[in-house]
Each structure stands twice: as C-alpha cells, then as structure tokens.
Amino acid sequence: MSQTPAARARGDAGSAAGTRAGLSSTARGGVGTSPPRPDGALKAAGEFAFSSDMWMEDMLWGMTLRSPHPHALIRAIDTAEALAVPGVHAVLTHEDVPGEKRYGLETRDQPVLAFGKVRYKGEPVAVVAADHPETARRALARVRVDYEVLEPIADARRAAFDPDCPLVHEEGVPAHPEYNQRGNIVRHQPVRTGAFAEGADAADLRARAAAVVRGEYRVGMQDQAFLGPESGLAVPAPDGGVDLYIATQWLHVDQSQIAPCLGLEQERVRMTLAGVGGAFGAREDLSMQIHACMLALRTGRPVKFVYNREESFFGHVHRHPAAMRFEHGADADGRLLYATLEIVLDGGAYASTTAAVVGVASSLGVGPYEIPHVSVDAYGVYTTNPPCGAMRGFGAVQACFGYESQMDRLAAKLGMHPVELRRRNALAQGSRVATGQRIDMPLPMAEMLERVRAMPMPARRGELADPADPRTLPGGLANTSRGERVVRGVGYGVGLKNLCFSESFDDYSTARVRLEAIGGEPAALVHTAAAEVGQGLVTLQGQIAHTELGVERVTVHPADTSVGSAGSSSASRQSYVTGGAVKAACEAVRERVFALVRERGLVAPDHPAGDLALEGGKVVSAARGVLAPLAEVLGTGAVEETRVFRHRPTRALDPTTGQGDSHVQFGMCVHRAVVDVDVELGLVKVVALDAVQDVGRAMHPRQLLGQIQGGSAQGLGLALMEEVQVADGVIRNPSFTDYLIPTILDTPPMRIEVLEHADPHAPYGLRGAGEPPTLSSTPAIVAAVRDATGRPLTRAPVRPEDIAGVGD
Amino acid sequence: MRVAFTVNGEDMAAEDVWPGESLLYVLRERLGLPGSKNACEQGECGSCTVYLDGVTVCACMVAAGQAAGRAVRTVEGLAASGGAGPAPDSRLSSVQEAFVEAGAVQCGFCTPGLVVQADDLLARTVRAGGPAPGDAEIREALAGNLCRCTGYEKIIEAVRTAAEHEERAVRRGGAR
C-alpha cells in the first residue's frame, strides 16, 4: 500500500510567472526549484492508492445509519431485524462503544454514535458491517429508531442571544471559561482598542468621522468538496489493537481521539496515511474512523467504509455561515478612524474547531488596515444545523468579505478609487494589528496593490475576434445570452491570514532523516507523519533533504504513527513546521557526517564546522575543495537523527480585551477580478482573476502557483455559486448536481505575481501560502459584480436574483 | 450474475455480480482496477471516465450488465493503447506525462478521469489529423470533469502541451 515512492531528483527551469525577487540559485531538485512530485506519475497512471482504493480479500463493508431529523430525542433503537439480514456481521449503536462515548478536536462533545438525542440531520446513530454494500444498505433500512422530534434551533442569532432559546447541549459540555462560553455560545471573543478600550461607544467616534458606512453581510455555508470521499480500511490486529489506513489531515490527533473511544492504549491504534483526495479542512474532524475500528474489532474482519457524495455532505464539517454587522468611520481623506464589528458564526451541533475560528475572525476581523479605535465581538454558536469547523481560510474568509465590502462602500462614499483607499490605510511591517501584535516581518501591501492594479487588463468584449461567440459570454454554449445586456466590472480584494496554529497552541512537527550509502550512492530517507493532501508536501520534504544533504536520491517514507506527530496539514503550516523539522533533522545528520569526516582524519579535529558542506554527493571544504565522496565517508553505516521543530510561541487572546501576540506569521494575497455580467439574466462570467501574493520564499514555484490558483478558484466558488443550503436544519442540496463548484468553464485565466520578501523568523524565510488567496478572491469578484451592476450585494454567494433586472 | 467484457484489451469476467452494481464498482472492487475514481457516483464529476466501445462515459452511470460483451478502456490502459507516448517504454501516455510535468496533478483524485477525457479530445483532433485544440475547445471538452485543487490552469497547460507533442508526432508520421 505504499504510495510514496522515491522522490525523483529532477529540476526544471521553474515556470512561475512574474517576479521572484531574491530567489537564490539552488541545486536542481532542491529548494527553490520545481521537480515533479514523486507521486505524480502514479496518480496520472491511476495506480496511486487512495483511501477508497484499499481492499482486502475478506473485508466487510461498513455503512452508517444517520438521523433523519435535525433535533430529536431517541427513545429506543432496535437492531434485531437488521442483524437477521443474511450477510450482516454486526450492527452497532452507542451501547457498543467500548470506551469514551464522545470525541472532539477541542471540546469532547460529539457522540461516536448518538445517544439520548440527535442534534443535526445526518448525525450517525448506528453502523453496520456486511458482505456487500447493498446488504449493508438493506440492513440499515431495518434498524428501527424511535424518535421524539423536537423543534430545530436553526437561527444562530436567536441561539446566541435569546435567553428563552433552548440549549442544544442542555446537559452541558466541558467548560471553557477562557472562551466566555455560556448558553449556546461556544466562544465570544471581544477585541477593544483605542477609545473602545476606555469604554467609549460608537456614537462618540461617529461624531468625529467625516464618512461613516454600515453594512450587514452574510456568508453562506461552503463545502470543502474535496473529490476523494471519506473512506478507509480498519484491520483488526492479533494484539487486540487495530491498523487503520485512512485519509486525514493529522494522523496523531485522530489517534488521540480514536483510542479512548475504543478503550485502547494509543499505541494499539496504528495509523497509516492512505492516499488523500483533497482535504481543505474537511478532514480535520473524524468521520468514519472510530466506526470502522469498532466494526473491525467486533467482527475480527477488515472493514472498509466509503461515503458516497451525498453522505459526504453529512460526513464532514463545513465553513461557518456568518452574519456580520460592520460599521467603519473615516476622515475626509479616507483615513480610517474606527470600526465596530459583530460577527456571528453558526457552529452547528458540535464545537469542532469553532472556538479557534472565532479566535481568527476576531483577531483579524478588521483585516489589513490600521484603525486606531476598534471594537469587535465575534461569536461562535451551537445550533441544530450541520456542524461547522475548518475550511481553508478558517474564519478569516468570512471577515474578509465583510471588511472588503466596507472598504468599497467607503471608497464610493468618498469618491476615491478602491485601491487608493486601501493603500492609505494599509498595514506594513512595524504596524500593529487590532490585537496589539506588531507585524515583525515584511508586509508590502501597498506595493502588492500597485502591482495588481498595473497588471494588463483582459481584452474588452468589443476587441474580441468574435464577440458573438457564445463561449465568451456568461452562460456559454448554453446560448442563454446573446450579449445584449452584458456589462463589465472590475473589483479588488485584500486578505490577511494568520499562518500556523495560534493562541498559545503547542504547534510542532517531528522529522526523522536517515542518510546511508546504497549501491555506492548516498541516499536519504525522510520520515514524518505529515499528511500529503495534494498540496505537494511530499515533494517539498524531498527538496529540503536534497538541499541540506546535497544528495539527489531522496525517498519520503509513507506517513504513519510510528514517528512523532507532525501536526496538522492545516493553517498553511506544513511548509513552515514540518519543513522546519526536516531541515533541523537534516542539519543534525550533517553535523554527524562532519564528525565522521573529522574522525576519519579528512580534516583536523579542530577544523571549523562552517568550512564544511555537503554538495552534489560529496563532502566539500570551502578552503580545500572536495574532501571525499559522501558515500565513502558513510561507509556501511547509516546516520539517523530525529528532530522536533517548534515555531516561536504565541499567546492566548485576553478574553476581555482581545489583546495578545496570538499569531506566528501573517500572509497576504491581493486580487483583481474582472467580470462580465448579463444584467437581464443574472449570469456572471469571471473574465480574469489576477493576484499578487508574498510568500517569503517560493520553495517550489510551480506547486506554489497551483496553490494560489486553486485557492483563488475556491474563492470564486464562494463568490458566485457555492452554498450548502440549509432550511430548518435540513441540507437541501447534498450533491454535485445541486451544490455547484467551479468547472473549467467557470474558472478564468489567472495571472499570478509572486513576491519573496523573506520572513526572518521562518525556515528559508518562507510564508505559508495555501490560504491567503481563498480570502481575497471572493470579495474581489463580488466587488467586480457590484461595479458592473451598481447593486449593494451584501451576501456571498451572489445569487442570480440579486443581480437580475438591473436598470428595469 | 456473471458479467464478461474486455478491459484494456484483456478478457475479464466478474462472478456473482448484483444487478444493481455499476461498471465502476465492478472495475474497482471486483477486477482490481481502482484507477477510475468514485468522487460523486452521480455522473457529475467525471472522475470515473472510461472508454466504452471507444466512447467516454461515466462508469458510475453504466450498469455493469450494460458492459457485457463490450470493450472497456480505463486509465490503467491508457499508456498501452492510446496516444503517442513520449517514449516506447513509458508507462505514461503523452497526456499523462504532460499532466505530471505541468503540475496539473495535486491530490490526483480527478486526474484519472481528466486524462481519459483529454485523451479523447486528442483522439478527435490531432490524432485524426486535425489542428491542436485551442483553449476554448479544451475547456469545453473538460467541462464535465471537476477538479477542486488546481483552479484548472495547469490542466489546460498540460493538455495544450500534450496536443502540441502529438501534433508534432503526427506530422512526423510517428503516431501509433
């Protein structure tokens, strides 16, 4: 089941477009070059083993019975009839959970299988193992659950602020006083600066402002819509433990939640990363992991689960829908004076990462702008809607749509160009964000805005060779429009994202690196538990070893729990943290090689370490040139070192003032969108979506572009089409027929400029790159649609009815 | 029931097939060919695209019984039977090679379906002696294949590269 073969050491010229200031020359295949990904050929050939491809001769199929009600009491569950179906090997309910009955990433509030009550439609109630998926489906239809249906708690604002609203968890959940947890509120995080810290209210500041803008904004529930469904294979082991082959973002945090529920010691739950078909946050929480292990342990047979697309919509958390009330005041020159923000995030039935999402939404709520007086109140709330948690951008996406909409509104009110207003208020190195944290790394926002504004514009419709070609029109070949009422618009967006885990989290990664001579050539083996989810981390680990050890032959070991935790493939953190761990382990290996060089008498015992290097498979002295082939120095022995890498510590936010150095690093992307809108039909075609992003160091320029373009496309989806539609707790569109993600026809050419202003605190100066483009692309596109239509558009995604009939 | 058909030129048969099983299920779970992917099983994402008697279909939407006696070509058979490979001994077709080189592969779950669909586009254009498809034509051809990772830019680049490669090969008379 190995899916991580040897890294192929091959460079290319690096195809990143645009400026790459300060890119140092490196060995081919090393850091800064763009070698092919080691799993690329297997994936293109259809030979890469994804979690849903796992197969064993005697395996059973697991399947889940889910609640048909968003909110109901469970009076009784009868599994007898299901168990009697021929081919069924087990039917399990909450009574069969061997250990802890609940799990959770931050708060252990989610039942493995529902007991007493169900809190969202789709909550798992029972699981079955059978010899065929159809047998399992028939068995599930025969499980009898007696429900007493309760009124859903569907409105987040009511759940948060109405004292008469029933509690979603009336029996209580583990307390987090530092989150101001009360009632249905999972976390309330205020931020107060300037006059607001002294008790002033908005009226005092409003009187001093030349221009005031207010807006109520909504962001819909977005689905990560990874293509590889939740799936995996649990194999019972002779020692009473279990081996789980699984697609996840963080093996060790899964293990730490699974083991207590199974009543097993952690080391008896051994996990190996199976091929991951995308993640985007949706694999942070557990889905079928515990269920598969329970069934495997009960039946003594391997058990495979594969959700279908409909089930996947119930099987993972979504992006929190947000209801936001923003007010900004500025002087006549457009300099921001104050901002008041209320952000209500619907966390659904279980906490998941809601508290951390609130931490990001509050601390970055005003975005990349210097504002002397800020008052933020961000809330994460329990309802009986589908649970929400991590998705790329994590709380910053929602806030960004709000503050960027406000900036455009303010610019319009002052008669300023939206770029000029943003430039005047831009944060820069040395500025402080609303939490009081000083930005101690480059943040060239003004330069980025100028660069994106200066990019060439796409051809106007009149300049096209054939403006009547329907492929150039909104609606495309469906021929819905002849283009009579197509209007062009341009919009800008800027987003500020924290990178790595924040708020005092002990965020580390572990790497083991082994160097030995194989067949007379030096070869390195890199072993971490870091989840390759498509982003290309497996390539990057090989590049780092290549650069640090000067060897071309680098193999990345499959990720599993036999090495220490690497932390999560989340928060744009793996290049930084696991990259840092691989670098540190390589450096330790290198030091031991240099010790061998001294022992062998190739240099004097007191030879300065700074003079030695490993390059091109050789040990090199700056003063004396090549000393010896590395393979010869290694001989028949191997040098192996394991290192743990931590980024600098962060602090919790003060629960009253929201002050504190809570973040490790800040990332920024700037977008300009150009759209054509058919204002009669409410159709939008995004014509161009161009971006500038500062990444500190382009570790792999081609993969980096893939991150920026992919993130931009997900932002496009949120701007124009993607919303999990929930009515009274029921998802109405759990399919790719009704939940639309951008196709190749919806996604425009994307010109990207990459800047490399190094962060002095980070390995190689790099900055996490995956999330920032997902923030800024959405508001840029919505701003462009506003520019074309003149409509206020306070909601993402924009719906046809929001823009149709302009000018009627 | 028993279902027999050829897969990538080889005679294959599956026993005890439940009539509700799709061609995709039989390929993946009974014949050991999991290359065709199960992303939506609703015919919306294209990740299970295979050739059925030379026509691309979503294998999830074809009942296994409908494939009986017919010829199926999957992603696993692409290099051996279609396209002008970059080298005779390559295990990748020109389209697959271009996907890897261009960075069109991230998580890779959509890749098998995309390379089959792109192969079909090249079969209808350059391999039939026509000109290399333009971007608009590439987009139309791949409009039924969802990708969530790449934003499609590198995919278009890959298809463009493969088309140019095959066009040159056809001109040289080197196409198979």
Side-chain angles (χ1 to χ4, degrees):
Chain A
M1 288 187 198
S2 166
Q3 66 273 359
T4 43
R8 281 194 289 168
R10 251 168 70 180
D12 72 4
S15 55
T19 51
R20 303 219 310 274
L23 190 67
S24 59
S25 69
T26 43
R28 282 153 55 89
V31 167
T33 68
S34 294
R37 43 184 310 146
D39 55 10
L42 282 178
K43 285 176 172 177
E47 290 165 6
F48 181 79
F50 288 92
S51 56
S52 53
D53 301 336
M54 301 289 129
W55 194 89
M56 284 180 89
E57 185 64 45
D58 58 342
M59 73 183 192
L60 300 172
W61 287 84
M63 210 166 276
T64 313
L65 181 71
R66 294 174 181 275
S67 164
H69 309 294
H71 198 196
L73 298 176
I74 298 175
R75 288 200 190 111
I77 306 175
D78 181 358
T79 62
E81 214 182 309
L83 262 172
V85 174
V88 169
H89 290 251
V91 183
L92 306 183
T93 69
H94 66 92
E95 289 180 356
D96 303 295
V97 178
E100 299 283 336
K101 303 279 187 190
R102 292 185 172 96
Y103 69 94
L105 275 171
E106 293 175 353
T107 299
R108 203 160 270 191
D109 65 351
Q110 186 153 3
V112 174
L113 291 166
F115 55 95
K117 192 174 170 182
V118 288
R119 296 179 182 82
Y120 72 97
K121 182 187 182 297
E123 180 161 353
V125 177
V127 288
V128 52
D131 57 7
H132 189 281
E134 181 59 17
T135 316
R137 264 189 293 273
R138 287 174 186 178
L140 289 180
R142 286 165 175 74
V143 176
R144 310 225 172 275
V145 186
D146 183 8
Y147 292 104
E148 180 184 334
V149 175
L150 303 173
E151 191 74 19
I153 304 168
D155 182 74
R157 211 176 268 283
R158 174 174 169 251
F161 305 127
D162 179 354
D164 296 328
C165 181
L167 293 178
V168 175
H169 293 266
E170 76 286 345
E171 78 288 9
V173 291
H176 284 286
E178 73 280 18
Y179 293 157
N180 300 309
Q181 192 176 52
R182 62 175 195 279
N184 286 319
I185 295 175
V186 178
R187 183 176 184 184
H188 165 215
Q189 181 60 56
V191 179
R192 303 281 185 270
T193 72
F196 290 111
E198 312 297 324
D201 69 14
D204 305 331
L205 289 148
R206 212 173 281 141
R208 290 165 48 194
V212 173
V213 289
R214 288 189 201 89
E216 291 200 20
Y217 303 97
R218 282 187 177 271
V219 175
M221 185 185 287
Q222 190 179 16
D223 187 64
Q224 299 84 349
F226 51 51
L227 287 196
E230 291 87 344
S231 47
L233 180 73
V235 185
D239 69 346
V242 62
D243 291 282
L244 182 60
Y245 299 85
I246 187 74
T248 180
Q249 291 177 235
W250 186 357
L251 288 168
H252 285 81
V253 84
D254 280 13
Q255 187 189 36
S256 71
Q257 294 174 90
I258 296 166
C261 294
L262 297 176
L264 290 174
E265 305 84 9
Q266 201 148 309
E267 55 276 14
R268 290 223 223 174
V269 179
R270 291 164 295 261
M271 299 183 53
T272 303
L273 190 72
V276 184
F280 317 116
R283 297 189 210 269
E284 282 195 22
D285 294 80
L286 297 180
S287 56
M288 40 54 68
Q289 283 90 329
I290 302 172
H291 302 156
C293 293
M294 281 172 59
L295 288 168
L297 291 169
R298 175 65 73 97
T299 61
R301 302 260 296 262
V303 174
K304 170 172 171 169
F305 268 78
V306 182
Y307 290 0
N308 65 22
R309 183 51 52 180
E310 179 174 354
E311 187 169 25
S312 180
F313 275 90
F314 300 104
H316 61 253
V317 299
H318 308 284
R319 189 192 296 294
H320 290 75
M324 305 181 286
R325 292 175 176 163
F326 281 23
E327 177 176 323
H328 284 75
D331 69 15
D333 295 329
R335 288 191 202 285
L336 289 163
L337 176 67
Y338 76 94
T340 65
L341 278 54
E342 183 196 79
I343 302 171
V344 179
L345 299 158
D346 184 348
Y350 296 103
S352 178
T353 50
T354 290
V357 169
V358 169
V360 171
S362 55
S363 61
L364 301 179
V366 297
Y369 303 107
E370 295 229 48
I371 310 180
H373 311 286
V374 170
S375 172
V376 180
D377 289 284
Y379 303 88
V381 185
Y382 281 128
T383 62
T384 60
N385 290 326
C388 289
M391 182 176 172
R392 196 175 193 169
F394 203 79
V397 160
Q398 295 91 326
C400 184
F401 177 67
Y403 60 70
E404 287 301 88
S405 298
Q406 284 284 90
M407 290 306 107
D408 288 338
R409 208 172 262 208
L410 187 58
K413 189 153 195 168
L414 290 163
M416 289 176 72
H417 191 281
V419 166
E420 179 54 25
L421 178 85
R422 286 171 169 85
R423 212 186 53 75
R424 271 186 204 185
N425 294 289
L427 291 179
Q429 185 164 15
S431 307
R432 289 182 189 277
V433 297
T435 59
Q437 180 168 4
R438 201 175 68 83
I439 296 173
D440 57 356
M441 66 204 70
L443 195 73
M445 173 167 162
E447 178 193 347
M448 294 165 77
L449 281 164
E450 293 306 331
R451 281 183 179 275
V452 82
R453 192 180 180 179
M455 281 190 185
M457 275 288 185
R460 305 203 148 269
R461 289 204 51 73
E463 297 161 5
L464 296 175
D466 179 10
D469 182 346
R471 294 178 300 187
T472 69
L473 288 166
L477 282 176
N479 262 333
T480 38
S481 171
R482 301 281 182 215
E484 300 91 333
R485 294 292 307 281
V486 173
V487 185
R488 180 155 290 187
V490 179
Y492 294 86
V494 186
L496 183 70
K497 179 69 181 61
N498 61 309
L499 309 167
C500 303
F501 280 20
S502 297
E503 296 193 78
S504 78
F505 194 90
D506 181 21
D507 193 17
Y508 66 92
S509 180
T510 314
R512 183 180 297 156
V513 173
R514 182 183 174 89
L515 182 63
E516 63 193 315
I518 298 174
E521 291 296 321
L525 178 68
V526 179
H527 188 184
T528 74
E532 167 62 56
V533 297
Q535 79 278 48
L537 182 62
V538 67
T539 326
L540 196 70
Q541 294 183 58
Q543 288 177 268
I544 291 172
H546 183 131
T547 290
E548 298 301 329
L549 299 175
V551 297
E552 293 217 344
R553 234 172 113 182
V554 181
T555 305
V556 178
H557 190 282
D560 59 31
T561 50
S562 72
V563 64
S565 174
S568 186
S569 291
S570 310
S572 313
R573 66 178 281 289
Q574 287 292 27
S575 297
Y576 192 129
V577 189
T578 289
V582 173
K583 181 170 186 276
C586 287
E587 285 163 354
V589 165
R590 204 168 55 201
E591 285 313 309
R592 282 194 41 202
V593 172
F594 293 158
L596 285 175
V597 169
R598 290 190 199 91
E599 274 171 33
R600 311 255 155 100
L602 293 164
V603 294
D606 59 349
H607 191 86
D611 175 71
L612 298 175
L614 299 181
E615 281 168 18
K618 297 183 173 60
V619 182
V620 180
S621 153
R624 293 164 42 197
V626 173
L627 297 177
L630 178 55
E632 203 176 289
V633 174
L634 291 166
T636 54
V639 178
E640 183 177 296
E641 289 292 337
T642 303
R643 285 294 178 276
V644 172
F645 176 83
R646 286 181 163 77
H647 57 65
R648 55 187 174 156
T650 58
R651 292 180 189 285
L653 292 173
D654 182 282
T656 312
T657 65
Q659 298 299 291
D661 292 353
S662 63
H663 298 313
V664 179
Q665 194 183 44
F666 298 96
M668 177 172 282
C669 186
V670 173
H671 270 95
R672 184 190 65 194
V674 181
V675 302
D676 281 343
V677 183
D678 187 309
V679 296
E680 283 181 337
L681 300 169
L683 295 171
V684 180
K685 179 180 179 66
V686 181
V687 178
L689 185 59
D690 300 325
V692 179
Q693 185 168 343
D694 192 328
V695 301
R697 175 80 192 270
M699 300 290 284
H700 187 300
R702 194 175 52 218
Q703 287 188 175
L704 171 68
L705 290 187
Q707 285 297 301
I708 299 173
Q709 289 161 344
S712 300
Q714 290 184 2
L716 184 157
L718 180 59
L720 298 176
M721 57 185 79
E722 290 185 37
E723 181 172 11
V724 179
Q725 294 175 30
V726 181
D728 286 330
V730 179
I731 297 179
R732 296 159 111 181
N733 56 343
S735 71
F736 279 167
T737 312
D738 297 317
Y739 183 90
L740 301 182
I741 66 173
T743 70
I744 199 167
L745 291 173
D746 302 309
T747 312
M750 292 180 267
R751 187 187 299 266
I752 312 291
E753 277 190 24
V754 172
L755 304 184
E756 297 183 280
H757 293 98
D759 176 352
H761 310 284
Y764 304 105
L766 72 82
R767 224 184 273 251
E771 287 173 292
T774 312
L775 273 62
S776 45
S777 117
T778 305
I781 292 166
V782 176
V785 179
R786 272 189 210 114
D787 184 45
T789 62
R791 293 280 173 96
L793 305 180
T794 56
R795 186 184 188 288
V798 173
R799 297 161 299 189
E801 62 264 37
D802 298 330
I803 49 177
V806 169
D808 286 357
Chain B
M1 63 182 191
R2 182 174 195 274
V3 180
F5 47 90
T6 72
V7 186
N8 302 325
E10 225 180 289
D11 289 330
M12 289 196 178
E15 310 291 338
D16 300 323
V17 173
W18 172 61
E21 286 176 24
S22 66
L23 172 59
L24 179 64
Y25 183 90
V26 169
L27 289 170
R28 288 176 53 78
E29 304 295 342
R30 295 192 181 275
L31 301 178
L33 292 166
S36 308
K37 289 290 167 268
N38 55 323
C40 80
E41 298 182 79
Q42 296 167 321
E44 294 287 351
C45 75
S47 64
C48 63
T49 303
V50 299
Y51 284 104
L52 182 62
D53 283 349
V55 177
T56 54
V57 296
C58 285
C60 71
M61 302 299 281
V62 176
Q66 288 176 290
R70 300 170 74 180
V72 175
R73 184 143 57 88
T74 71
V75 64
E76 287 97 339
L78 211 56
S81 50
D89 59 344
S90 175
R91 42 192 277 272
L92 298 181
S93 72
S94 59
V95 172
Q96 290 168 320
E97 185 75 28
F99 266 65
V100 176
E101 291 295 324
V105 179
Q106 286 191 29
C107 91
F109 211 80
C110 69
T111 308
L114 271 161
V115 294
V116 172
Q117 197 61 47
D119 183 83
D120 179 61
L121 172 66
L122 299 195
R124 288 187 281 111
T125 53
V126 285
R127 262 177 249 155
D135 285 4
E137 201 176 341
I138 295 172
R139 286 180 188 275
E140 287 301 333
L142 303 183
N145 293 74
L146 297 175
C147 168
R148 191 54 159 171
C149 295
T150 65
Y152 302 104
E153 284 283 86
K154 298 294 182 193
I155 291 171
I156 294 173
E157 189 184 316
V159 177
R160 232 186 260 139
T161 304
E164 286 162 13
H165 172 87
E166 294 210 12
E167 198 180 25
R168 279 196 304 274
V170 168
R171 268 201 231 109
R172 285 197 309 266
R176 277 172 281 178

